[in-house]
């Protein structure tokens, strides 16, 4: 408790698939983009998971792609950085989340790479809209690791019971983990996007 007042509950919000739908290397030629998607994001995702847990850097992954596909590293890297810096996020949604900071500790929590902190976060000025930004690359943990340990870390940090905390995420596995911790989980989907969730949520709050 701070100054005799109960701490504000935490509102956790995911990034990819919730606030942003842009892909890495989306500006490559279609056949090149498919090669990258096939190598990293389809089938065995060991490389991606290591990248998101802070065990590989963007340079290392880009070099691996260059070696596996024959696409120039410099070309891959320049497109990657530019695409990271120009990801589209609705300002309206960011402002809605920002407005909730009066009643909640609003945390952007993302399973992401070093590139998020290096390029995306500063380019989009995301620090202006959240009380804290948690990236799995920096945490060394994905949201589902150790049964949601990263969520409990923040609940402990801010002295808030997880039962009072809220999550917006498009991952069913993350939704399940958060629910099993007795947090209030909202599954974001194509049928019910974040904007739809927030409209009802803002009215209630």
């Amino acid at each position: 408790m701070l100054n005799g007042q109960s701490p504000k509950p935490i509102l956790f919000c995911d990034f990819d698939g919730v606030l942003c739908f842009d892909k890495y290397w989306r500006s490559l030629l279609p056949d090149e983009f498919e090669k990258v998607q096939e190598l990293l994001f389809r089938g065995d995702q060991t490389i991606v998971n290591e990248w998101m847990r802070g065990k590989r850097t963007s340079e290392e992954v880009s070099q691996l792609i260059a070696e596996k596909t024959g696409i120039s590293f410099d070309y891959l890297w320049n497109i990657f950085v530019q695409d990271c810096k120009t990801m589209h996020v609705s300002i309206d949604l960011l402002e809605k989340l920002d407005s909730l900071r009066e009643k909640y500790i609003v945390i952007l929590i993302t399973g992401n790479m070093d590139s998020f902190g290096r390029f995306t976060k500063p380019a989009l000025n995301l620090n202006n809209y959240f009380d804290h930004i948690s990236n799995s690359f920096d945490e060394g943990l994905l949201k589902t690791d150790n049964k949601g340990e990263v969520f409990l870390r923040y609940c402990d940090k801010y002295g808030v019971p997880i039962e009072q905390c809220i999550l917006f995420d498009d991952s069913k596995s993350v939704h399940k983990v958060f629910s099993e911790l007795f947090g209030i989980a909202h599954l974001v989907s194509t049928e019910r996007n974040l904007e739809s969730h927030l409209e009802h949520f803002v009215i209630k709050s």
Side-chain angles (χ1 to χ4, degrees), residues 3 17 20 39-40 43 49 59 63 69 93 108 116 119-120 137 151 167 188 204-205:
N3 301 321
C20 182
L39 178 62
L40 294 184
N49 286 329
E59 285 89 347
Q63 184 60 47
T69 64
L93 284 178
L108 180 64
F116 184 81
F119 309 125
T120 306
F137 182 91
F151 293 115
L167 169 71
V188 177
K204 284 183 182 179
S205 61

Side-chain angles (χ1 to χ4, degrees), residues 77-143:
W77 180 252
N78 290 335
I79 285 180
F80 176 74
V81 172
Q82 187 59 25
D83 283 356
C84 286
K85 290 180 177 180
T86 56
M87 287 186 163
H88 174 72
V89 177
S90 165
I91 295 297
D92 182 54
L93 284 178
L94 290 174
E95 289 178 346
K96 283 181 179 177
L97 288 166
D98 183 34
S99 72
L100 293 172
R101 292 166 71 184
E102 289 184 17
K103 296 183 178 180
Y104 297 89
I105 299 163
V106 182
I107 296 178
L108 180 64
I109 187 162
T110 178
N112 224 304
M113 294 74 169
D114 57 327
S115 53
F116 184 81
R118 293 166 64 186
F119 309 125
T120 306
K121 183 171 71 172
L124 302 184
N125 296 310
L126 293 178
N127 278 332
N128 293 342
Y129 302 96
F130 299 93
D131 293 297
H132 187 81
I133 295 177
S134 169
N135 181 3
S136 62
F137 182 91
D138 304 312
E139 305 279 4
L141 287 173
L142 295 177
K143 285 175 270 187

